[in-house]
Amino acid sequence: MTVKTVLWLGLPFLLTALALPVAAAEPVTPAPAAKRPKICLVLSGGGARGAAHVGVLKVLEEYRVPVHCIAGTSMGSLVGAAYASGTTVPEMDGIMASITTELLFKEKPPRAQVTMRRKADDYKSFFGPEIGITGGKISLGKGVVTGVQLETVLRQLSKIKGYQNFDKLPIPFRAVATDLVNGKAVVFKSGELANVMRASMSVPGAVAPAEFDGMMLVDGMLTSNLPVDAARAMGADVVIAVNVGTPLLKRDELNGIGGVVGQMLSILTEQNVQESLASLKPDDILITPELEGYSTGDFDVLTKIAPLGEPAARKVADRLARLSIPAAEYAALRERQMVAVVPDTRPVDEIRFENLALVNPESVRVHMETKPGQPIDQKKLDMDMRRIYGTGDFEHVNYRYLEEPGKRVLAVDAVEKSWGPDSLRFGLGLSSDFAGDALYNVLVSYRKRWINPLGAEWRSDLQMGSSTSLGSEFYQPLTSSGAFFISPNVFFERRIAAVYQGNSHIADIERKRVEARLDLGANFHEYGTFRLGVLAGKSKLEVDTGTLTIPVNSDSITLGAYSARLVLDQLDSVHFPREGWKTDMRYLKSDTGLGADDSYDKWDFSGSFVHSFGEHTINLGAIAGGLSGSKLLPAYDQFSLGGFLQLSGLSSGQLIGEKLKFGRAMYYHRLARSAIFEGAYGGISLETGQVSNPLIPGNRDDWIRAASVFVAADTPLGPAYLGYGQTQNGPNSFYFYLGRPF
């Protein structure tokens, strides 16, 4: 069993999605009115396999079998809740056509809407989950996903909103979850449908448990995956049970930890399913769709799974026919069971943030486009929830409406991380040109959040490997909105830079730099950030290996400068952007009045623009840098260029000089999509660049043209690239990168 399969076990929101056009009903002999039983539909859990429930519903409607009550678990609770609240089979079909794995489980908001503080993390080579530190103890999140985005979809599936008595729904309904504390089944008879569905399908380890009335709830499959007993309790005379559970794996299929964990869950589930099957009576009907070849995680093929419920139901057509009622009576019943949705757009008088211990409610409020006094826009409100979750301060975000005397309140339940607020993250970067130039770096980042009510944050990053660095920053917002901030920070770096004479590696220079900086800044919401700063420090260059034709002053150089930086970032992704743009402009004024040994003015600029046409993407980029005035740029602060996608074919940083110009046009095509990551790509690039006034006399200072071809994929450890680059009339090279190469 794959990680993807475990993730999707029971993620049933498909329910609403799977629907087929209603075929013409076959002639049936209606049951005599005096003998008509109360019929209850029981829908099991089974992840994506639960799409077959919709096919069964189609046949039941075709044979005019009345459904008087529904009980469901996990995916079955989703399909059941949708049908019980008035969603029709054709409507489910339409929803299914729009559902994707990304839509259901990509919980962060679009990157363009994330704060600049969080966007900066994307340029680090982080991998794996955030690790919390609380009271000196290490802890992790409660699931791979929290269910924030899933709840958005579930709210769309349930036509009836707000707290409900499930006996008062168009079709009486029950949903089953499992209390993680005592291990017992919890049968919901009331509640808000979206929340109940979410609780019923919280697969342990994949989706974080749902908090409900003080209980911690997970998937009902652990205790009652085929809830026949819940149907009996509703007074069912006849049970139509649909079992779409996953059969146990065979011995040769138990490969890896994923298969073992999945088998354990299947064993627990199968035990309670067998108990339910044993309780079926002679008049009950069991429908078992043939779903071989489809797993619980196959949410991308729901349209193929849904029809498989039909042939399974037709196998018992003779028994279904005995339950049929006259056409006019059935039409009247279905009319009563359907609900016309009227969106509730009534404005609220207050937006309230409850139970926040560390996070300042005013800092959360700025992320909401929904405002008191304005009509409620459901899509806008759902995006508000994702945006709040995207701040990184919460493990779960939801909302509810409160009707209080004289006012209507929107209560936002933002649950602060139980594994924070302090956290650790790890990163890894690797590169090789298959010719002896191999680099590696390991990154450890520690962050302490919400040190004070304005959201102060202390962050330290340690990098070890081919280059060593240590940086620490205290970030202090000056307002609750975070519009302005002050940031004292320190930084130390030691790295080895290769020096080339032409295409020959002639020496390595060790560069050491330590600096302290104080920045004042402003954030332009999610669009950009601007910093003004002053810095002081030391820099030192020494020849590590080889011989240089130019003198290198091995004495420490004193630094002192004013700095300014403007970053505007609207890319939808850092790894493989498909839309958006970014620009980064910096200015440094080294001033002897601040104690600097050298006086000069340096500027640099980088920018990119990305646009996609279907699966095809054009990515245009430019870099430039130089001096203001006639003074020279010292060796310790010159520009470098070269390497994969920065004059491909050259070695990394092969060209060093005072002035830099570079342009690149990339094309890439998405070769494969991924449920969790950004997929796989193949592409090419055309590049041109010039480094003027080179550090090494005689090195090229003319325009150089280059090109590359590559394949790349997003992986659990970050983006991985395998490419080949060639400069015009110059060197060529193969490249491997794990991490961002540009």
Side-chain angles (χ1 to χ4, degrees):
M1 179 173 288
T2 65
V3 172
K4 176 183 175 183
T5 299
V6 174
L7 178 62
W8 304 139
L9 271 177
L11 292 183
F13 50 80
L14 309 173
L15 76 170
T16 102
L18 326 172
L20 301 170
V22 178
E26 297 181 7
V28 295
T29 302
K35 297 182 180 179
R36 288 175 194 162
K38 182 175 184 178
I39 302 169
C40 195
L41 184 61
V42 175
L43 305 177
S44 81
R49 293 161 61 95
H53 289 318
V54 179
V56 172
L57 288 174
K58 176 186 176 183
V59 175
L60 294 182
E61 291 188 349
E62 182 180 320
Y63 279 81
R64 302 195 304 273
V65 176
V67 176
H68 303 114
C69 53
I70 301 174
T73 295
S74 196
M75 179 63 174
S77 75
L78 300 188
V79 175
Y83 199 67
S85 64
T87 303
T88 66
V89 169
E91 286 173 333
M92 290 186 187
D93 194 30
I95 296 173
M96 177 181 62
S98 66
I99 285 181
T100 64
T101 300
E102 181 178 1
L103 172 66
L104 293 167
F105 302 107
K106 189 171 184 178
E107 300 186 314
K108 291 184 179 180
R111 185 176 180 275
Q113 298 185 22
V114 175
T115 64
M116 289 298 297
R117 185 70 176 165
R118 293 296 161 268
K119 286 180 183 178
D121 289 346
D122 297 339
Y123 295 92
K124 300 285 187 179
S125 55
F126 291 130
F127 67 86
E130 180 181 78
I131 299 174
I133 301 178
T134 306
K137 297 181 179 180
I138 291 178
S139 57
L140 295 172
K142 299 172 184 175
V144 177
V145 297
T146 69
V148 171
Q149 177 58 14
L150 178 59
E151 288 174 8
T152 296
V153 178
L154 297 181
R155 283 191 288 269
Q156 297 170 359
L157 298 180
S158 55
K159 282 194 169 184
I160 297 178
K161 313 298 181 184
Y163 193 93
Q164 301 291 327
N165 179 337
F166 291 167
D167 285 333
K168 303 298 183 182
L169 294 175
I171 303 176
F173 172 69
R174 297 291 185 268
V176 181
T178 299
D179 189 322
L180 190 59
V181 176
N182 62 28
K184 295 181 179 180
V186 176
V187 180
F188 284 98
K189 300 179 181 179
S190 61
E192 187 163 357
L193 282 173
N195 293 343
V196 169
M197 289 187 279
R198 156 83 167 84
S200 180
M201 49 69 57
S202 298
V203 181
V207 181
E211 303 283 345
F212 199 98
D213 289 342
M215 297 180 291
M216 185 178 291
L217 302 177
V218 294
D219 201 306
M221 69 176 180
L222 298 177
T223 50
S224 184
N225 199 49
L226 188 66
V228 173
D229 53 350
R232 299 282 186 220
M234 298 175 76
D237 297 313
V238 173
V239 168
I240 300 176
V242 186
N243 183 21
V244 296
T246 305
L248 297 178
L249 297 175
K250 298 177 182 178
R251 181 183 179 88
D252 58 358
E253 295 175 317
L254 293 172
N255 298 319
I257 188 172
V260 173
V261 172
Q263 186 80 331
M264 291 171 61
L265 292 175
S266 296
I267 290 172
L268 291 173
T269 302
E270 186 62 19
Q271 288 176 346
N272 67 66
V273 167
Q274 290 302 319
E275 292 179 4
S276 296
L277 293 175
S279 71
L280 293 177
K281 299 177 180 179
D283 290 338
D284 297 332
I285 300 173
L286 175 64
I287 300 174
T288 307
E290 295 291 337
L291 301 174
E292 185 176 357
Y294 293 102
S295 73
T296 56
D298 286 332
F299 287 102
D300 293 327
V301 291
L302 296 182
T303 54
K304 295 181 179 179
I305 298 174
L308 299 179
E310 295 181 50
R314 295 187 194 282
K315 288 182 179 180
V316 293
D318 57 336
R319 302 187 65 189
L320 295 177
R322 298 190 193 107
L323 301 174
S324 178
I325 62 176
E329 185 179 346
Y330 184 77
L333 173 66
R334 288 300 295 141
E335 184 177 358
R336 293 194 301 271
Q337 292 177 340
M338 293 185 215
V339 174
V341 177
V342 179
D344 186 355
T345 61
R346 290 179 297 157
V348 296
D349 302 295
E350 177 188 349
I351 297 177
R352 183 182 301 165
F353 300 91
E354 299 187 333
N355 303 317
L356 295 182
L358 289 175
V359 180
N360 187 336
E362 294 307 312
S363 72
V364 184
R365 197 181 306 276
V366 299
H367 297 290
M368 294 193 66
E369 293 185 6
T370 302
K371 305 296 182 184
Q374 298 179 358
I376 293 294
D377 183 320
Q378 189 62 52
K379 290 184 178 180
K380 182 185 294 185
L381 181 55
D382 287 334
M383 182 54 70
D384 287 342
M385 297 302 103
R386 289 180 65 187
R387 197 179 294 112
I388 292 171
Y389 176 75
T391 63
D393 293 317
F394 305 102
E395 66 175 79
H396 186 256
V397 181
N398 204 342
Y399 67 88
R400 52 198 167 91
Y401 293 103
L402 304 176
E403 300 293 342
E404 298 182 350
K407 64 179 178 180
R408 187 173 191 238
V409 178
L410 173 63
V412 177
D413 297 314
V415 181
E416 295 172 345
K417 288 181 177 178
S418 58
W419 62 91
D422 303 348
S423 63
L424 281 174
R425 292 205 68 183
F426 296 91
L428 176 67
L430 303 171
S431 69
S432 173
D433 63 2
F434 299 98
D437 188 4
L439 303 173
Y440 74 94
N441 287 297
V442 177
L443 174 66
V444 181
S445 179
Y446 169 80
R447 177 176 291 166
K448 187 176 183 65
R449 295 189 179 100
W450 288 98
I451 298 174
N452 58 41
L454 289 179
E457 178 178 296
W458 176 36
R459 172 173 176 167
S460 298
D461 294 332
L462 172 63
Q463 178 176 290
M464 299 172 290
S466 300
S467 62
T468 300
S469 65
L470 175 63
S472 189
E473 176 190 33
F474 187 84
Y475 181 86
Q476 176 63 68
L478 301 178
T479 63
S480 59
S481 67
F484 300 97
F485 63 89
I486 185 171
S487 169
N489 55 86
V490 294
F491 178 75
F492 166 79
E493 179 187 46
R494 174 193 173 276
R495 65 182 178 90
I496 302 295
V499 180
Y500 290 80
Q501 181 76 58
N503 294 321
S504 300
H505 182 187
I506 61 173
D508 288 320
I509 293 180
E510 180 186 65
R511 175 186 175 181
K512 294 181 181 178
R513 185 182 182 98
V514 59
E515 64 181 47
R517 179 191 298 264
L518 178 65
D519 290 336
L520 290 173
N523 289 313
F524 311 122
H525 300 288
E526 68 271 19
Y527 294 101
T529 186
F530 177 69
R531 289 180 179 238
L532 284 174
V534 59
L535 67 87
K538 294 285 187 179
S539 181
K540 185 176 182 180
L541 290 181
E542 291 182 305
V543 176
D544 185 62
T545 61
T547 303
L548 287 179
T549 58
I550 60 169
V552 174
N553 188 349
S554 60
D555 295 331
S556 292
I557 303 297
T558 300
L559 308 175
Y562 300 102
S563 65
R565 185 178 186 183
L566 173 65
V567 179
L568 302 173
D569 189 348
Q570 284 288 285
L571 291 177
D572 64 348
S573 168
V574 169
H575 296 167
F576 301 104
R578 292 180 48 77
E579 292 291 344
W581 53 271
K582 181 194 174 184
T583 184
D584 188 347
M585 295 175 281
R586 295 184 291 186
Y587 189 87
L588 181 78
K589 181 178 180 59
S590 180
D591 193 334
T592 54
L594 293 176
D597 288 340
D598 297 296
S599 178
Y600 59 91
D601 296 272
K602 173 187 176 182
W603 62 270
D604 64 86
F605 162 88
S606 65
S608 61
F609 174 80
V610 186
H611 184 63
S612 294
F613 307 87
E615 303 295 348
H616 306 274
T617 300
I618 300 296
N619 185 331
L620 305 177
I623 305 173
L627 288 163
S628 296
S630 58
K631 295 184 179 180
L632 299 178
L633 194 61
Y636 58 81
D637 212 9
Q638 293 196 5
F639 300 101
S640 64
L641 183 66
F644 182 47
L645 300 178
Q646 292 191 346
L647 294 184
S648 301
L650 299 182
S651 296
S652 180
Q654 182 170 330
L655 304 178
I656 303 175
E658 290 187 336
K659 298 179 180 179
L660 167 66
K661 299 174 185 177
F662 173 76
R664 176 183 61 234
M666 294 174 60
Y667 161 80
Y668 40 90
H669 174 70
R670 183 154 58 184
L671 303 174
R673 293 176 176 266
S674 170
I676 302 175
F677 303 105
E678 295 186 44
Y681 297 81
I684 61 173
S685 73
L686 300 176
E687 307 148 27
T688 184
Q690 178 187 40
V691 176
S692 304
N693 302 336
L695 177 67
I696 304 299
N699 274 355
R700 293 183 64 173
D701 61 359
D702 58 337
W703 284 93
I704 300 174
R705 297 182 179 86
S708 74
V709 295
F710 60 87
V711 291
D714 199 18
T715 77
L717 295 179
Y721 291 78
L722 182 63
Y724 171 80
Q726 171 76 60
T727 58
Q728 186 179 31
N729 302 320
N732 59 77
S733 183
F734 286 94
Y735 298 95
F736 169 75
Y737 272 83
L738 181 63
R740 269 188 92 245
F742 60 93

